Amino acid sequence: MLADLWRLNRRLKRLRCPVCNADEPAEILRRDRYLLDVRLSVCRTCGTTYLARGLAGETASAFYGGIYQRLMRTADASPALIGAQRLAAGYRAHVLRYVIGPLDEVLDIGTGLGFFLDACRQSGSRSYHGIEPGPVQRHFAEDELGLGGHVDGDGLDAARALSFRPRIVTLFHVLEHLEDPGSVLALAAGWLPPDGWLVIEVPDVSEWAGLGLQHVHVSHRSYFTPETLGILLARHGFAIHRQDREEHGIHPGNLRIFARPGAAGDDRIPGVDAEALAAESRRRIEAFDVRKGYPRAAFRLLRLATGR
Ligand SMILES: [Zn+2]
């Protein structure tokens, strides 16, 4: 495991800002929770927090097909953890029904184990489909939840087949993992009708204190706040309709955005003091704290590597 992480570290590439494409990072921290050299930074142009060094192209697909599953312990997830995901999905479906109405024509990008689709089906949805690149998760959705035919692992591009035109596109804790989040929002904008909905959940990094170094992770390339996510959405023709923030539950500092096509909001980038933002984030992450910083991260890494 440690050798694989070392090899991965050598394959990481310099990355541009996923929101504005600038290459002007103000560094917060050099290393992530696996001690990989990811250069967590604030973009000097738009103020987005992102990894200035990370996964790109084939390294990314190889990572998600291999070492990511081991780091996340996907194969031996405990029944309690799986149960928590089922509850979270039911709660999401409930909130979405409250805001949107009936959940039909749902396309769930990054569907994971499939519990949200299962909740849509239970609430009477006739058309629902999930896209999940991880084979372990996909097989769980198909075999354990009986979602065969409603999940695929095909790539996300304009040429991919859809069995129905989605009215609701959901991305729950997915956008922050994508190499080019804007291209996926552009696809969603092309699919959705004018009365459609885009629902996104990401961790909100307006407040790093509740997240900490554990959240600085090679697979998280973008770290959004309501402001930076709003800029990205506006650039792709979406206006924010509603936002919810839940401190606890699904994820610490969970941010849920309901956006709709058209009437794009203001996508101008306000002036940012990236150095001050980086310093403030560094202070709140407390990366050198014994209990929650690098010492703890190194200890967990050793436990993971020795399989305990
Ligand atoms: Zn930027």
Side-chain angles (χ1 to χ4, degrees), residues 17 20 43 46:
C17 170
C20 78
C43 171
C46 76

Side-chain angles (χ1 to χ4, degrees), residues 155-162 183-184 186-188 190-191:
L156 266 175
D157 54 59
R160 67 155 294 135
L162 292 175
S183 72
V184 173
L187 275 179
W191 289 328

